[in-house]
Amino acid sequence: MAVSADDWTDDPQAVDSFITRAKAVLDDNWTGRFTVPSPSLYPHQWSWDAGFVVLAYARYAQERAEQELAHLFAGQWKNGMIPQIVFNPDAPDTYFPGPDYWDAGRSPHAPDGVRTTGIIQPPVHATAVWHYQHFARDKERAVRFVERVYPLLAAWHHFLRRDRCSRRGLIHILHPWESGQDNSPIWDTVRKRTDVPEAFVKTAEAHRGDYIHKKTRPTRKDYSFYLYLVELFRAVDYDPKRMREVSPFVIQDVLFNTLYCRSLLDLGHLAHLIGEDPLPWWDEAHVTQVRMNEKLWNEHHGMYFDHDLTTNRRIKAEVAAGFTPLYAGIPRAAQAARMVRSLDSPKFYQVDERSWGVPSYDRESRKFSKSRYWRGPVWININWILCHGLRHYGYYDYAEHVRHAILKLPYENGFWEYFDPETGEGLGSDHFSWTAALALELILQPEYAQQVTEG
Ligand code: 2M8
């Protein structure tokens, strides 16, 4: 039997109580200025997490959506970069590597008076702002807000185009953290061929106690690789050109480029709304679509693969992110049909089979782990992206199947960071913001939105 949420989504009281519980997670994680991803593990503001929570706030808490984005933009670099983390000076010193380790202020581009990291995360912000204005109850105020943030979004996209892409190619990332999928099997070959000095293994080991749930987190080797890359970037003062030169990790990532493409489409809509020219953004989106199809598509596997610019080779890791281009309208109809056949298979999430959503990695791979972070567990954000992508191509039944998993997992097991695809057990940290936010995005219908007072 397929997992179905119908038994409770037909019951208005159960739906109401689910909405209340999801909102309570976001209320608890709201610091008064921004939302922490989870109170236990992540006490700062993360870039793409902020975008995901705005998708929910857009529907019931207009002012909070504005505050969340304003806090993130306060950490924007002078060269337009939106950093992976904006550190919270009031947070306990529990997260490693923290602001002192990064020492991002050594870059002339770093913002004044705000501490951040020196790398990026996927660009979901124009999409978040588009949702914000679309659902805003006070439309005039929303347009004024869009006018204020549009130049900041434009600067962010100019940064990506100027500093993260050679000629008119795809965007490259320089660190696994930039993809959002920290220990994905995609990065295994790069990590293995990189000689990480022993000192970084020791530092990673010294902080192992910081990483709770060791069996469900990246390994010590992963962390030493992450820290080594940070050191390389710190040594060149986070200068974008030098970072590219010194990094052993230079990848054209499917998920990143998909979200970039979607972001460009949404930025074009925002431009149009405030009387600016949308065409340069849409042209850029079109170029990205074409390049992704030329360079990253794999017909045999029915999915897109990352490209390693150091070796100039495809990375054939069958991860769920390889299907996300559906979300930005990138595949043609025939490609999309091929992708759905790959998704609806024992490797991923077969209809009429007892499992819990699309796992982050091919379940038939010998490297699949049902509990280790981005190497198998179900992540709600990836499922949410797939759900919308499937709807876009008219695969409503399969999209519904994914939507049910997104709702059923937290309804039955709580708002966890990620989930075991076989049992549905919650993993990582409880009380996780984007799990609550994206479930809310899927379930908050206009009639609910009207009942709620501003957050
Ligand atoms: C995870 O990544 C951070 C580093 O950015 C970490 O492991 O410490 C990832 O799941 C990432 O996608 C997410 O944005 C972040 C905060 O939720 O946690």
Side-chain angles (χ1 to χ4, degrees):
M1 261 297 282
V3 172
S4 158
D6 287 343
D7 45 349
W8 68 274
T9 49
D10 286 346
D11 172 359
Q13 272 182 345
V15 172
D16 275 349
S17 104
F18 181 69
I19 291 172
T20 305
R21 279 162 52 211
K23 284 183 175 166
V25 169
L26 294 179
D27 286 347
D28 291 347
N29 292 351
W30 173 248
T31 62
R33 290 167 298 132
F34 70 93
T35 312
V36 293
S38 89
S40 55
L41 269 188
Y42 309 110
H44 307 287
Q45 187 183 36
W46 263 258
S47 167
W48 77 330
D49 299 59
F52 290 132
V53 298
V54 166
L55 298 180
Y57 293 148
R59 288 169 173 261
Y60 72 96
Q62 183 172 355
E63 195 184 334
R64 205 188 272 188
E66 292 164 7
Q67 288 172 294
E68 183 79 43
L69 289 160
H71 188 270
L72 187 68
F73 281 123
Q76 185 170 24
W77 285 34
K78 292 167 195 155
N79 60 1
M81 183 180 92
I82 295 185
Q84 166 219 17
I85 301 175
V86 178
F87 289 111
N88 176 9
D90 303 329
D93 185 20
T94 49
Y95 182 80
F96 183 82
D100 291 342
Y101 191 92
W102 282 92
D103 190 19
R106 58 201 296 146
S107 164
H109 303 298
D112 300 321
V114 182
R115 302 193 80 187
T116 75
T117 63
I119 58 170
I120 57 178
Q121 272 197 325
V124 293
H125 317 91
T127 301
V129 174
W130 188 87
H131 276 249
Y132 154 82
Q133 64 76 31
H134 184 74
F135 292 104
R137 271 180 292 166
D138 186 341
K139 289 284 183 204
E140 277 177 33
R141 178 185 162 132
V143 173
R144 282 199 302 277
F145 185 77
V146 173
E147 281 167 347
R148 209 178 103 211
V149 297
Y150 177 79
L152 309 177
L153 289 168
W156 168 221
H157 290 75
H158 287 316
F159 164 84
L160 291 169
R161 176 57 38 209
R162 186 186 62 234
D163 290 328
R164 289 311 189 94
C165 161
S166 32
R167 293 183 299 278
R168 290 202 95 188
L170 296 167
I171 304 293
H172 58 255
I173 56 169
L174 299 173
H175 195 297
W177 283 338
E178 296 201 323
S179 74
Q181 312 164 81
D182 301 9
N183 66 339
S184 168
I186 315 173
W187 329 126
D188 287 0
T189 49
V190 191
R191 182 176 63 68
K192 282 187 188 144
R193 68 165 188 255
T194 307
D195 283 329
V196 175
E198 188 58 26
F200 295 94
V201 183
K202 290 214 175 86
T203 312
E205 184 62 41
H207 287 275
R208 279 198 89 190
D210 299 354
Y211 313 132
I212 58 158
H213 317 296
K214 281 183 197 150
K215 288 206 169 118
T216 67
R217 306 285 299 174
T219 63
R220 192 175 52 126
K221 278 194 177 155
D222 292 319
Y223 278 109
S224 57
F225 182 52
Y226 306 154
L227 297 178
Y228 175 52
L229 290 174
V230 172
E231 172 55 31
L232 293 176
F233 302 155
R234 185 174 52 181
V236 297
D237 297 338
Y238 302 102
D239 176 76
K241 274 206 178 57
R242 300 290 320 281
M243 284 169 73
R244 167 74 170 83
E245 284 160 16
V246 298
S247 182
F249 183 106
V250 189
I251 309 278
Q252 291 173 322
D253 177 48
V254 171
L255 177 62
F256 198 104
N257 279 282
T258 295
L259 294 175
Y260 175 63
C261 185
R262 178 62 193 246
S263 189
L264 288 164
L265 295 170
D266 291 327
L267 192 51
H269 293 304
L270 291 172
H272 185 65
L273 178 81
I274 60 167
E276 298 281 342
D277 183 4
L279 293 181
W281 304 120
W282 289 339
D283 177 51
E284 185 69 27
H286 177 68
V287 169
T288 307
Q289 288 172 344
V290 171
R291 291 276 182 278
M292 284 187 73
N293 281 322
E294 281 170 359
K295 201 165 181 187
L296 308 185
W297 170 248
N298 184 292
E299 179 68 26
H300 176 71
H301 291 272
M303 64 195 305
Y304 291 76
F305 286 134
D306 279 27
H307 190 90
D308 183 340
L309 282 178
T310 310
T311 56
N312 199 22
R313 292 173 81 113
R314 292 261 178 101
I315 305 176
K316 289 192 177 170
E318 292 183 67
V319 296
F323 301 105
T324 54
L326 293 165
Y327 177 62
I330 292 165
R332 290 176 289 274
Q335 285 171 288
R338 177 76 195 84
M339 290 166 86
V340 173
R341 284 206 300 283
S342 298
L343 256 179
D344 186 2
S345 80
K347 283 166 158 306
F348 286 98
Y349 187 36
Q350 211 166 6
V351 174
D352 292 332
E353 176 218 13
R354 193 153 189 85
S355 65
W356 294 81
V358 182
S360 43
Y361 187 36
D362 169 14
R363 287 198 284 155
E364 293 183 339
S365 165
R366 60 179 175 80
K367 292 198 291 184
F368 169 82
S369 159
K370 64 198 193 75
S371 55
R372 204 180 277 284
Y373 219 36
W374 288 91
R375 302 180 74 89
V378 174
W379 286 81
I380 295 301
N381 61 342
I382 299 293
N383 276 260
W384 182 90
I385 290 168
L386 292 174
C387 178
H388 283 283
L390 289 158
R391 282 179 180 174
H392 176 80
Y393 283 86
Y395 291 97
Y396 298 112
D397 290 348
Y398 194 80
E400 208 44 22
H401 189 53
V402 177
R403 191 182 83 102
H404 285 167
I406 295 171
L407 299 177
K408 183 101 168 171
L409 278 165
Y411 178 77
E412 297 215 334
N413 302 318
F415 296 90
W416 289 86
E417 188 179 1
Y418 42 103
F419 297 88
D420 180 323
E422 287 164 19
T423 64
E425 183 198 353
L427 299 165
S429 64
D430 189 6
H431 235 64
F432 193 69
S433 292
W434 84 41
T435 301
L438 297 176
L440 278 173
E441 197 282 334
L442 285 177
I443 208 167
L444 272 187
Q445 302 302 319
E447 64 268 24
Y448 285 109
Q450 276 159 22
Q451 289 167 13
V452 181
T453 51
E454 197 80 336

